Amino acid sequence: MRYVISLFLLVLVVSCHKEPIETVVPESLSNGFLVLNEGLFQQNNSSISWVDNQNAAVNADFFLSKNNRLLGDTGNDMQIYGGKIYVVVNGSSSLEVLEKSTGKSLKQINMFVGNTAKSPRSITFHGNKAFISCYDGFVDVLDTTSLSIVQRIQVASNPEGLAVSNGKLFVANSGGLNFPNVDSTLSVIDLTTYQEIQKITVGKNPGSVIVDQEGDIYVIARGNYGSNPSRMVRVNAINLVVEEQFPFDALGFARMNDNFLITFYNYSTQSSAVRLFDPLSETLLNSNLINTSDIQTLYGVSYNPHNDKIYCLDAMNFTNTGYVRRYSSQGVYETSYHVGLNPSKILFYE
Amino acid sequence: MKSSTTLFFFMICGLSFGQVIDQQLPEVKVTDISTEVIKVIRLEDRISILKRAAILELQAEDVGQLLQKMEGVQVKSYGGLGGMKTISVRGIGGQHTQLIIDGFAVSQDQSGQINLGQIQTENVESVSMLSGKSSFYLSPASSYAAGNVLSISTFENTFSNVKNELRLTQKIGSFGQTDSYLGYKHSTDKWFFAASGKYRMANGEYPFSVRNGSATYEGVRSNNHYQDANGVFSISRNFNNRSKAFISYRTWYSNQELPGAVILYNDHSVQTLSQLSHRIQSSYSFQLKQIRLHTFAVATISNMEYADSSYLNAAGGMFSEYINKSVNTGVNAFYSKGNGWQYSGGTEQQMSLLESTMMSVNSPIRQHNFSFVSVKHLGRIFRATAQLSSQYVLDHSAINKSSEFHVNPFVQLETKEYGKRENLEFYTFYRNSFRMPSFNELYYNNIGNLDLLPEKVNQFAIGAQHKHIKGKLNVRSKLNLYYNLVANKIVAVPTKNLFIWSMQNVGKVQVLGFDISTDIYLKFSDKSFVNSIVNYTFQSVIDVTDNTSPTYRHQVAYLPVHSGNWDVSYHFKRHGIRSSIYANSLRYSLNENTLGNKVDGFILADLSVFTSFAIKKHELRLQFSCKNILNTSYAYVRYYVMPGRNYLLSLNYALRY
């Protein structure tokens, strides 16, 4: 009996593990990059990692160490505009505005209509306004000086990616929560009146939106995850007509100087591809720029103009912590950084 | 005399506890210490069993809370009255545990496992967990084929040696909880009939705190109202002590709000779930020369409605309905000439159908046959059991048709009482079993996977138990050591992105565990005694799927390596006090054992005082409990916060004449 009790107590003592020491985060950020890790929904474990280029040290809880609180549930987008970083947190239905140079919180904006979460997804900017797509069917307009929401613009269901071209805002209406009856339109919003002026049909389940040097709008219509494949379409900036659907699979994209890096992940074969695309000539320069054999699940890509490197985000199996994998601009693997759960966005510092 | 009467009832009833009695027989000669010892938790021949007195003392809301007191069992609770509670037994998922209530198997084809938070304890006479045993005497064949068996026996469905018994329970607890139960049973040698009704509700608005960096978020659980009601009517006829017929009807209703995980900065939830079920069960047992035969039939219909008005789709919310209909029939036979050989066999046919708009197919049907044969030899030194069970499963719907046929062995060797004082026993067993994917796992829209294979389990164990009886001291200890392997583990994994998950057979899990328990009973005088029960469970449950994976040899999510209980009660005349402590070590919210996935271990302590009065045929029992007396802030599942210190007052009235 005595033995049982002492074992029981011993066990309780042994179970109190020591916590490992966190790497120090610099007061002022430079020569490195921030990674937004989405986390897993319902677990409040979205995080931001800071990676120091010099010594490759990773601070896995950058947001927490700067702000003494957690980022929240499912961070979906992170962008720099002006001197600020904007982090869109979907599950927590909040927008975190941070000081660019330090990562310290300037304001947390809770996005609700009454008690109903707006569920923000993505953010883009124009002039002194930020536009945030919200899953409840609206785009919120934020004044980047006063950091308050000044207007809501109604679009269609479950808007995702957005981009600005020629004084207009283009918003992809995914309708993802009506699966399989998804949406297939792109809302066009006049940025002088903040009114939707048109809807363009681009293909089923549109997601990411990007604009090229000429102002043409590229949208990824993700199809139905089955017979209807995920493809990129181009909308003419002037006449707002869908001019082309490209014949290669595409899921996401990022700018690399004047070109696009286009990513694709095949769910059934679990293979990844990073393509190089020239939007001026509208030709695919390389359909496999990177040897992706080191990547388990390609979850995003970014190009760093400061050091001319490509960074691929590897979500592993979605439930294990992910990696940022660095390649030369020619696509040669260089190194990996171990970051948080489901890394999806990256911001570079000179 | 008492034992033989009980045995008589069990044999005649043909209900689930026959085997318990069968194995208690050798103990009768040493268990003359006191009948009280039987009233509290005790170690009974490797069956973890909780009887009514202990159930009352623990003031558990539901069977899930009771199972946490048992060694080797890990409970996962999502919080609140009626909230989801699932179990894992010896590191194996709850889907491998067949639930038997009053000797009837409860079909779990829809979701794979039963919410133990909704099985209440007011009318429960005993709860037994069987790991590595054949099954209970004359139990349905499905229980012989399962990895583990959880058996519950209720007041309404058992013969009693009291002619008329009326039971009334009224509870009042924190967070708006009230429970009312009224049960009546009339019992004679020839027949009994029983009827009962129960209603309970709670607003579930308990305060909680979660750490958020250096700050603490203090909130009150919202959208957590709960109510349920049930009614039972049963009747049984005993013909000439040779055959018995039984029929019972049960209806059950619940309506609950689902608070979900506490999401930081967005702590609002509007989901609701309501359920209604009806069940008719009947059995007939009879003697055919030296063969005892038991036949049964069960029909169940259950309806479940889920609503989430915050779901941002075009319909303005997610509303879904599920209707599950099932029928079970079967027959069991038991034969023994009393020469040390016992033979049993049985077959059970289950048919289950699910209707829901949330399924990828219309009305999938499962036909599942379980059969078994078992031989037991009671030798001079050893007791040996060999059993074969077979399962034939036919799943079909408009778009698929698949079948499975497996034969699974179970062998067990036990020593009889060993040593000078015949106080030591050893056992070993091997069991091979599997569980089918549930309807949800196969067919649920976008998540289900028609290609799923059954999840297979191999269990090996050895163990010993020791009895020490000297004067007024009675000490029983037992030790179990086990090694289990799970293959084709069915897990939900995100496949397309974070929000699109799918069911896959991806896992291999290795379980290496042991548990020790000691039950000390010390009698001071005829009026007072102390009972102390300690158990400790060690479970290394690791992922061995792929040695290149970051989670290779990591502890599987939500299973603590260490856990244990320590209960002490002191009884003086009709009064008593009981302290109940449960502790577990840290767990991980995902299979990767990283700091970020850590979920802290916790210690829970409950304290209760109770007293009872008896005036003639009336008995009144009063109990007051303070639960989570340390006000520990804890969670079984990450961000599914549990209540802090709370109180429960209960009054039990019984009239027996």
Side-chain angles (χ1 to χ4, degrees), chain B residues 11-12 137-138 242 285-287 291-293 332-334:
Chain B
M11 289 300 287
I12 294 304
Y137 174 65
L138 295 181
R242 290 185 66 81
S285 321
F286 57 101
Q287 193 80 29
I291 302 172
R292 184 82 202 155
L293 282 153
N332 279 54
F334 177 85

Side-chain angles (χ1 to χ4, degrees), chain A residues 1 4-5 7-8 11-12 15 17 19-20 38-45 64 68-74 91-92 108 110 112 115 117 119 121 135-136 158 177-179 225 267 299 316 318-321 341-342, chain B residues 211-215 261-266 268 311-314 446 494-501 516 518 520 532 534-536 549-551 562 564-566 583 585-586 589-590 592 595 597-598 603 638-640:
Chain A
M1 179 65 193
V4 175
I5 298 166
L7 187 71
F8 191 68
V11 159
L12 292 176
S15 339
H17 284 288
E19 315 232 338
E38 290 187 348
L40 273 173
F41 66 106
Q42 303 259 299
Q43 301 220 6
N44 296 310
N45 58 357
L64 177 66
N68 292 321
R69 61 181 175 89
L70 295 165
L71 183 59
D73 193 272
T74 321
S92 290
Q108 182 192 45
N110 301 111
F112 291 88
N115 270 343
S119 298
R121 286 288 278 189
Y135 240 39
D136 65 347
N158 317 134
L177 296 184
N178 295 315
F179 191 86
Y225 303 103
Y267 306 119
Y299 207 52
M316 302 298 285
F318 297 105
T319 55
N320 293 335
T321 44
L341 264 174
N342 300 310
Chain B
R211 256 177 58 199
N212 180 5
S214 58
V262 173
I263 304 297
L264 290 175
Y265 321 120
N266 178 12
H268 306 285
Y311 194 72
L312 299 170
N313 59 354
N446 307 322
T495 46
K496 298 183 173 70
N497 59 47
L498 291 193
F499 301 102
I500 302 180
W501 292 54
I516 39 179
T518 305
I520 301 170
S532 162
V534 184
N535 64 45
Y536 164 74
S549 156
T551 60
H562 312 283
N565 285 285
W566 186 10
S585 62
L586 74 93
S589 56
L590 294 167
E592 196 179 15
L595 189 67
N597 290 336
K598 210 179 93 174
I603 301 176
R638 198 173 194 178
Y639 292 108
Y640 280 84

